[in-house]
Amino acid sequence: MRARRALELLQAAGLAATPNADRGLDHGAWVPLLHLYPQADIPVFQVSLPMWLDADGAYDYGRALAPLAGEGVLIVGSGSLTHNLYEFRLGDPRAESYAAEFAHWVRDAVLAGDHSRLRQALAIAPHARRAHPTAEHYLPLLVAAGAAAQAVPASVIEGGIVHGVLSMDSFLFGAELPVRLGADANDALPN
């Protein structure tokens, strides 16, 4: 029912969307859900983003899906705040300064509610192209931001930087977190 509603909203916004009941969840969906809903006791559907999508298009996807939030649907955008696998160093606890600087810049834009700056991040943020050699892991943040009203407060769920270059910070748009977090995720929530 909710997946059909998402499809209708995207199509009403003039966005090409088709259902695919044969495709399962990819790791960008099931990994966050493993931590957010460890009992796997909620209905889930995934909306895949088109390969041709740019920053404004991703934000427009979120705007099209925004009515779902008022209908009890949790919209999760999953990627990695920084995602340069060319420089990935398995298990290395030392954060590259460029990844930290980019993550901090995005965090400031999110907390300021500056969605225009978020949409331009890959063009104007420090070290943007090094932090994201390709855009597909950044764009889900724009979908989530687009689905939230700009006046909605945002908070940070600290994730740190793992493997030297992957910022795992997450953002919550809205006043409440309507999920049952696993024990490890509860430790990451802001006070």
Side-chain angles (χ1 to χ4, degrees):
M1 176 76 156
R2 303 281 190 201
R4 184 176 19 251
R5 174 80 169 122
L7 186 64
E8 291 167 357
L9 289 169
L10 290 170
Q11 291 171 342
L15 301 167
T18 57
N20 183 346
D22 296 328
R23 184 176 173 137
L25 298 177
D26 73 17
H27 71 281
W30 65 258
V31 169
L33 291 170
L34 175 69
H35 297 283
L36 294 171
Y37 292 96
Q39 300 305 314
D41 56 354
I42 61 159
V44 174
F45 64 92
Q46 179 175 311
V47 176
S48 299
L49 300 179
M51 289 179 51
W52 52 262
L53 207 61
D54 63 7
D56 288 332
Y59 191 81
D60 290 344
Y61 250 70
R63 297 304 307 143
L65 295 171
L68 293 174
E71 298 170 14
V73 175
L74 177 65
I75 298 170
V76 177
S78 173
S80 281
L81 189 51
T82 58
H83 200 273
N84 184 340
L85 295 185
Y86 299 111
E87 297 184 35
F88 180 89
R89 298 184 311 265
L90 183 64
D92 190 339
R94 297 169 296 158
E96 284 286 339
S97 60
Y98 81 86
E101 192 174 339
F102 178 84
H104 183 76
W105 189 95
V106 170
R107 175 189 298 218
D108 286 348
V110 168
L111 293 176
D114 192 340
H115 292 201
S116 175
R117 196 166 69 165
L118 282 177
R119 289 193 313 272
Q120 297 176 58
L122 295 181
I124 66 173
H127 315 291
R129 283 295 162 202
R130 190 171 177 195
H132 283 281
T134 58
E136 74 273 8
H137 287 91
Y138 179 76
L139 297 179
L141 172 62
L142 298 179
V143 173
Q150 287 187 338
V152 171
S155 57
V156 178
I157 300 173
E158 298 284 342
I161 295 179
V162 298
H163 309 301
V165 297
L166 299 179
S167 173
M168 302 306 286
D169 286 353
S170 299
F171 304 99
L172 172 65
F173 297 94
E176 296 180 24
L177 185 61
V179 296
R180 297 172 302 283
L181 294 170
D184 59 334
N186 278 327
D187 295 338
L189 287 176
N191 295 327

